[in-house]
Each structure stands twice: as C-alpha cells, then as structure tokens.
C-alpha cells in the first residue's frame, strides 16, 4: 500500500469569512480557489485558499460557524499551521511586510535547522512561514501568479503541522504504527516526524506539553488537518487499516473536490486523509476560481435555500489588477 504523500490541507475556524478573505488575499497573497459551504452545516461558509492552481498540499480552509465562541489555545490541539516560502530572503521580505501592515509576529527564529517566522491573524490563529532554502522532499506548489506578492517571496504551500499533546506516547504510536511516520529529530520537548518523501511538506512537529490547560475549540483554532493519498482505492485501503487496528473513523466521505476519511487520533486531534483529486477546477474555470458560490452536484437542488442563508461576499478578483508589492 502506498503511504501518505504529506500534507493535504488544514481547516480552521474564523470569526469572519469577510475578514478572513481579506487577510489571506491581500495580506498573505494566497488565492481563493473555492467559495462553498460546509457540507455538514450548509449555513456556514467554507473558504479554500491555496496556490495558483489549487494543488493538493497547498490549501488552508476555513469555516465561519455562526455564533461560535472564541477558542482557547492550550494542550491537546493542532496548534499552528506552517506555510512554505522559497528562501531565507523571503522571510526578510515578510518581516518588513508584516511590520508595514501591522501583522503581529515574533521575528525570524530557527526550528530544527530551518528559519521560521511565527505570526497571528485577527482571531489569534497561529501560523508561521518556513523557509524552503536547502529543503528536500515533497515539491511545493505554484505561487498565485496574479496576486500582490512578488513570486520570489510568495507562499507556495503548506509546511509542517504543529501539534500539542499532553500524552506523547499515544500520538507517537499512532504516527509511527498507523500512518508510517518516522521520528527524525528531538529537542526540548519537541519531536519532528516525517512521512513519504519528507521535507517541509510532509512533516509534523509534536510538542509534549502537560502544563498548559486543555485547549478549547472555537474561532481562532484549527478544526482538523488532512494528509494526502493518491485516490479512492488508496483511501479504501486506509479504511481497512483503520478497521484492523480498531481506530474509530467516519468511513468514506464524498466531498466532491476530494474523497475523505476522518479519525480522531488523540483528544481533540482530528486527522483526515484526502485524495489528490478530482480537485478544484472541475466546476469553475481557472480564471475565476473562487469568485462565485460553488456547490457540489448533490447540493445544487438546494442552491436557492443555501444562497438565502449565507450572506453575499464579494470575492471577484479577475477584474482587479494587483501590483506586486515589493515592500
């Protein structure tokens, strides 16, 4: 059976789909490749930000559940999402950009030999940029060609996932015995795992922390993280693995843009396996990805009801001309 290919996507919760769209489009320069709804809660937007082509392994997605309270960071949570940039020089660019735009950040740091730049958004959602300089492994995506960020500095995909847990042995066992990750480094209570071709696009940082209080999910926190599998046949093989080891799971779920399989692998840690295809360009042309409300075929007969429940958000960018912002 083919192993995991690395990160597929990370899904988080936002307090405002409108502000979320502005931050990812105009500040981070990531492309909105799909504006749809949560298939399990159709009054809730589900926004997908990715690379230029909506490639697997590049997308950060958001729910904006109505009335959800603010989350609380702590232990037992997927704490932080990383985004890949091409070089150490790119991080210098982002420090200046964040300073100019008033984005809170912690300055450039070193993490397992890689330069990183931690920052937060308006919800206190935790992120970091990570440099791909000297990185080997899973190839990253293509920066948004028509966005505001110079291509040599732009975000190209997802980097390592940062997970905090109060019980380290359980998560290590699941990562190694079930998912095929290998531990490649350890330092100061942090453990670095990678899978498949490895590198920034296929790594997970595990932080052992039983001093912080338990995290509480809400806006500003991650809902779940997904790893790549090639196709539905591979997903069915993973379902067999889950059933063999007794890991409770969702069974196969059709998300239209990909097929999914969910399992809670530790307290408050939800992992998804997702197929590389069909992808995001089957129902919209490349030029106008994410500009209209997209619905999978099994919800088209409810379009009128759904459009009456979700407020309109203007996400048209094909008529705009973004100048590259070099400072």
């Amino acid at each position: 059976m083919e192993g995991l290919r690395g990160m597929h996507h990370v899904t988080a919760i936002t307090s405002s789909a409108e502000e979320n769209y502005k931050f990812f489009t105009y500040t981070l320069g990531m492309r909105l490749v799909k504006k749809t709804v949560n298939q399990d809660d159709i009054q809730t937007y589900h926004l997908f930000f990715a690379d230029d082509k909506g490639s697997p392994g590049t997308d950060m997605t958001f729910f904006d559940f109505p009335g959800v309270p603010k989350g609380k960071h702590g232990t037992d949570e997927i704490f932080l999402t990383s985004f890949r940039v091409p070089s150490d020089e790119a991080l210098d660019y982002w420090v200046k950009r964040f300073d100019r735009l008033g984005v809170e950040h912690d300055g450039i740091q070193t993490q397992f030999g890689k330069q990183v730049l931690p920052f937060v958004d308006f919800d206190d959602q935790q992120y970091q940029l990570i440099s791909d300089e000297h990185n080997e492994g899973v190839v990253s995506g293509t920066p948004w060609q028509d966005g505001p960020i110079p291509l040599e500095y732009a975000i190209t995909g997802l980097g390592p996932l940062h997970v905090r847990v109060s019980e380290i042995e359980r998560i290590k066992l699941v990562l190694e015995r079930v998912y095929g990750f290998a531990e490649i480094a350890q330092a100061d209570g942090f453990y670095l795992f990678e899978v498949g071709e490895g590198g920034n696009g296929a790594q997970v940082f595990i932080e052992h922390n039983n001093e912080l209080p338990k995290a509480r999910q809400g806006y500003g926190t991650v809902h779940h993280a997904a790893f790549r599998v090639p196709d539905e046949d591979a997903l069915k093989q993973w379902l067999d693995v889950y059933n063999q080891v007794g890991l409770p799971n969702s069974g196969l779920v059709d998300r239209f843009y990909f097929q999914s399989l969910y399992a809670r692998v530790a307290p408050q840690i939800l992992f998804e396996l997702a197929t590389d295809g069909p992808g995001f360009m089957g129902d919209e042309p490349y030029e106008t990805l994410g500009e209209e409300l997209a619905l999978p075929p099994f919800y088209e007969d409810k379009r009128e009801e759904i459009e009456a429940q979700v407020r309109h958000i203007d996400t048209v960018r094909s008529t705009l001309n973004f100048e590259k912002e070099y400072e």
Side-chain angles (χ1 to χ4, degrees):
M1 183 179 74
E2 182 175 342
L4 302 182
R5 293 181 168 185
M7 295 303 304
H8 188 282
H9 68 267
V10 175
T11 296
I13 306 170
T14 180
S15 64
S16 168
E18 291 88 344
E19 292 303 315
N20 179 246
Y21 168 71
K22 292 176 185 177
F23 185 77
F24 269 77
T25 301
Y26 297 101
T27 300
L28 297 186
M30 292 180 69
R31 188 179 189 193
L32 180 68
V33 297
K34 198 61 57 183
K35 178 172 67 175
T36 185
V37 294
N38 182 337
Q39 294 177 15
D40 303 317
D41 183 1
I42 59 175
Q43 64 178 331
T44 299
Y45 268 117
H46 194 180
L47 305 182
F48 291 75
F49 301 92
D51 75 343
D52 189 65
K53 303 173 183 178
S55 307
T58 70
D59 53 312
M60 178 86 183
T61 92
F62 287 88
F63 301 137
D64 73 328
F65 296 116
V68 68
K70 182 175 175 55
K72 181 179 180 182
H73 294 298
T75 194
D76 292 326
E77 70 164 331
I78 300 173
F79 171 67
L80 177 148
T81 305
S82 301
F83 300 114
R84 298 168 68 176
V85 295
S87 65
D88 294 350
E89 181 184 354
L91 294 182
D92 294 328
Y93 165 84
W94 283 98
V95 167
K96 295 174 185 175
R97 181 172 181 80
F98 287 164
D99 286 343
R100 178 171 67 84
L101 297 178
V103 176
E104 184 179 340
H105 66 86
D106 292 333
I108 296 172
Q109 304 173 10
T110 301
Q111 194 173 67
F112 288 110
K114 304 284 182 66
Q115 287 198 9
V116 300
L117 175 60
F119 67 101
V120 298
D121 70 5
F122 56 93
D123 281 334
D124 195 35
Q125 186 80 240
Q126 304 289 309
Y127 311 100
Q128 69 179 12
L129 301 177
I130 185 166
S131 169
D132 267 350
E133 190 151 323
H134 309 303
N135 182 64
E136 297 180 357
V138 173
V139 175
S140 198
T142 303
W144 182 20
Q145 300 295 288
D146 295 328
I149 310 299
L151 301 184
E152 63 268 32
Y153 303 136
I155 291 170
T156 60
L158 290 174
L161 191 69
H162 184 152
V163 181
R164 277 185 184 150
V165 294
S166 55
E167 298 181 13
I168 185 64
E169 292 307 321
R170 173 186 170 86
I171 193 71
K172 286 181 66 174
L173 186 67
V174 171
L175 287 175
E176 293 173 340
R177 300 286 182 86
V178 178
Y179 291 114
F181 279 82
E183 182 183 329
I184 61 170
Q186 182 182 146
D188 301 323
F190 289 83
Y191 302 78
L192 176 58
F193 292 83
E194 71 175 10
V195 73
E197 296 178 37
N200 285 340
Q203 293 181 339
V204 174
F205 294 168
I206 301 295
E207 177 187 347
H208 183 209
N209 191 316
N210 53 18
E211 297 179 356
L212 288 173
K214 300 288 186 184
R216 183 182 69 243
Q217 195 168 87
Y219 72 80
T221 67
V222 170
H223 186 274
H224 67 270
F227 300 96
R228 294 171 55 199
V229 300
D231 51 35
E232 188 174 352
D233 287 340
L235 204 62
K236 290 177 180 177
Q237 293 178 19
W238 278 102
L239 177 59
D240 290 340
V241 170
Y242 281 3
N243 291 335
Q244 288 170 13
V245 301
L247 188 62
N249 62 83
S250 64
L252 301 187
V253 181
D254 180 9
R255 297 301 189 195
F256 181 60
Y257 304 109
F258 44 82
Q259 306 295 312
S260 296
L261 173 63
Y262 301 84
R264 195 165 300 281
V265 298
Q268 302 192 102
I269 310 296
L270 181 63
F271 281 173
E272 174 186 355
L273 304 183
T275 59
D276 278 352
F280 296 113
M281 287 195 280
D283 60 347
E284 292 183 289
Y286 165 85
E287 292 77 12
T288 56
L289 282 178
E291 296 193 0
E292 300 294 333
L293 180 64
L295 297 176
F298 44 83
Y299 275 135
E300 272 298 341
D301 62 344
K302 294 185 177 181
R303 176 173 287 276
E304 186 174 337
E305 172 191 348
I306 291 171
E307 289 183 341
Q309 292 188 58
V310 296
R311 63 206 180 276
H312 173 70
I313 300 176
D314 183 1
T315 57
V316 174
R317 289 144 295 139
S318 56
T319 59
L320 304 178
N321 181 24
F322 287 93
E323 297 290 337
K324 300 299 183 192
E325 299 172 2
Y326 280 89
E327 57 180 41

